[in-house]
Amino acid sequence: MKTQNYYIKSCLLALSLTSFSSFAAPILSFTALTPTNFTLPASKTATVKYLVKNMSKKSHSFSMLPIAGVTQITSAGSCNTIFALGAKHTCILTLEVSGANLSNNITTGPKVCEQGNSLQCYQPFEENQLHITLASTQNQTYLSASV
């Protein structure tokens, strides 16, 4: 009977630890450095920047999933296309949004995944996700002149 109780308690402890681990803090944190919610005319581009921080105690490599109309800028000071971050290290994820290349509004993202594992993905909290509305051209007036 004691062996059976010990076994049941061990199973319950293992189950509870497994449940708590699923609520662990995300490995990446995103801090918006620029506005992420705006309207963009088709003729314009906009730059959005996030400070991305590896919150874990070990190094990880990441890459951003593609978003139509959004290009990741990898110039000096920005995260590379595939970026490795050491423990508690940061980089700046710089995105260029092209109104001309948007076919729909953007209502989520950016989503960054651990390199080689598309099931381990992270994105900003809802209030800092991309919310970009393509400006309507219906009400715009165009002037033309002929000589």
Side-chain angles (χ1 to χ4, degrees), residues 33-44:
L33 302 176
T34 59
T36 60
N37 186 346
F38 53 88
T39 299
L40 186 66
S43 61
K44 301 288 183 183

Side-chain angles (χ1 to χ4, degrees), residues 59-73:
S59 295
H60 293 273
S61 292
F62 303 96
S63 60
M64 187 184 88
L65 295 180
I67 303 172
V70 178
T71 303
Q72 182 181 347
I73 305 301

Side-chain angles (χ1 to χ4, degrees), residues 47-100:
T47 300
V48 178
K49 293 184 179 188
Y50 292 93
L51 181 68
V52 179
K53 183 174 184 178
N54 177 3
M55 302 299 287
S56 82
K57 295 179 182 177
K58 64 180 189 172
S59 295
H60 293 273
S61 292
F62 303 96
S63 60
M64 187 184 88
L65 295 180
I67 303 172
V70 178
T71 303
Q72 182 181 347
I73 305 301
T74 57
S75 58
S78 294
C79 303
N80 290 321
T81 305
I82 296 172
F83 55 100
L85 290 177
K88 309 297 180 187
H89 286 188
T90 62
C91 68
I92 296 175
L93 182 63
T94 304
L95 308 175
E96 183 178 85
V97 185
S98 168

